[in-house]
Amino acid sequence: MSALAPEPAPRRLPVPRRRRDPRTLATGAAVLAVLAALHVAAWIGAEMDLGMLAEGWHGMVRFVSEAVPPDLAWDPVVKDGLKACLVTLWIGLLGTTLSIPFTIALSVLGSRATNGNAAVYQAARGVLSFLRAVPDVVFALVFVTAVGLGPFAGVLALVCNNTGVMGKLWAEAMEEVDDGPAQALRIAGARRTQLVAHAVLPACLPQLVGLVLYRLDVNVRASLVLGLVGAGGIGFLINQSIQEFRFDQMLTYILMVLVLVVAVDVLSSLVRRRLAP
């Protein structure tokens, strides 16, 4: 019995050379030139000077040497720090959840998928832009003058800022859902509120929940900054320790913040994984 003849090796065809459009090359070169010019202008405008950084390393070393090792005394450093971390967590939690009703209202009015009135749409988008443009620190300063120092001002500040940020994200998520179920309900004579409740929101609910968890992570970190302006929490203790030149206590509070942020991030990741299809 004769052996089977080996199959011929496949023939390699030459790869055609890609023709480059001169206009594409010119456009790419122009974009790179503009980006380079912007970075040069930004470098000059930001007064970047690596020489000053090299000359100031003594101050950084002295600062770190005064902060290490951290002050781990239970009373009052660690004990007060744990209480302040809990307050920081409550500020971030309430600042996220209390903004959800306002976020739903403004995102529904500010989405083309749920609102066909152009005037109302633009008004809702304007409110969201304003709440998003004003920093949460500015809101905190305003509310501190109204309700005094403490975490209540921080919660109110986060509610305002989070409504603007999350409202925009929710409105865009609503506009990306499949319009089929909403069209079917519209043909059946459903009202706009029924379209939102039974077609739009259920379709993008996992994405909305994911955005809420993401904003919770952001707001817990933001509440730390709000504490620097008198809104309570661990940020207030960090600011106080800096003013008293107790950098060892400051490092202790920063380590506590690190643990808090990592814990919230892990918890959010677990919840998002559970909600993933």
Side-chain angles (χ1 to χ4, degrees):
M1 185 176 181
S2 60
L4 296 176
E7 295 183 0
R11 182 182 177 185
R12 294 184 178 181
L13 298 177
V15 178
R17 182 173 297 179
R18 183 179 178 183
R19 300 181 60 182
R20 299 181 181 273
D21 190 352
R23 292 177 297 180
T24 303
L25 294 176
T27 302
V31 170
L32 290 177
V34 171
L35 289 175
L38 289 176
H39 280 79
V40 170
W43 186 277
I44 298 174
E47 300 179 0
M48 299 288 290
D49 190 350
L50 298 180
M52 294 178 61
L53 179 61
E55 294 175 359
W57 69 272
H58 300 282
M60 293 187 293
V61 171
R62 185 176 66 254
F63 181 85
V64 173
S65 63
E66 293 179 0
V68 178
D71 187 354
L72 299 179
W74 171 254
D75 194 8
V77 181
V78 176
K79 180 180 177 181
D80 291 348
L82 292 175
K83 292 180 180 178
C85 280
L86 195 59
V87 172
T88 298
L89 179 61
W90 298 153
I91 294 174
L93 178 64
L94 292 177
T96 304
T97 55
L98 294 182
S99 65
I100 291 178
F102 308 104
T103 300
I104 293 176
L106 289 173
S107 60
V108 169
L109 296 176
S111 174
R112 291 188 177 91
T114 55
N115 183 21
N117 190 312
V120 176
Y121 169 82
Q122 294 296 337
R125 283 285 182 166
V127 173
L128 291 175
S129 298
F130 171 76
L131 295 176
R132 192 169 61 254
V134 178
D136 47 14
V137 174
V138 176
F139 278 125
L141 291 173
V142 173
F143 286 119
V144 162
T145 61
V147 300
L149 299 174
F152 186 29
V155 172
L156 296 176
L158 286 182
V159 167
C160 293
N161 184 260
N162 195 65
T163 298
V165 175
M166 203 159 62
K168 178 181 182 296
L169 298 175
W170 281 28
E172 293 177 351
M174 293 178 186
E175 292 178 353
E176 295 175 357
V177 300
D178 183 14
D179 194 40
Q183 289 287 358
L185 289 177
R186 192 177 292 109
I187 294 174
R191 296 188 297 272
R192 188 170 298 276
T193 55
Q194 293 174 324
L195 295 178
V196 174
H198 299 287
V200 179
L201 287 180
C204 58
L205 184 59
Q207 186 176 359
L208 301 185
V209 174
L211 291 173
V212 170
L213 294 174
Y214 167 72
R215 288 302 303 175
L216 173 62
D217 184 27
V218 173
N219 287 334
V220 169
R221 285 175 286 173
S223 60
L224 166 67
V225 181
L226 298 182
L228 300 178
V229 295
I234 192 70
F236 179 78
L237 294 182
I238 292 177
N239 186 35
Q240 187 179 39
S241 61
I242 292 175
Q243 292 178 350
E244 296 176 354
F245 299 99
R246 292 300 308 272
F247 301 121
D248 52 347
Q249 294 182 4
M250 177 205 68
L251 181 58
T252 302
Y253 299 141
I254 290 177
L255 293 176
M256 290 182 176
V257 170
L258 176 62
V259 174
L260 176 63
V261 170
V262 170
V264 172
D265 183 54
V266 171
L267 180 61
S268 300
S269 299
L270 292 176
V271 175
R272 283 195 297 266
R273 195 175 299 116
R274 288 283 185 177
L275 295 175

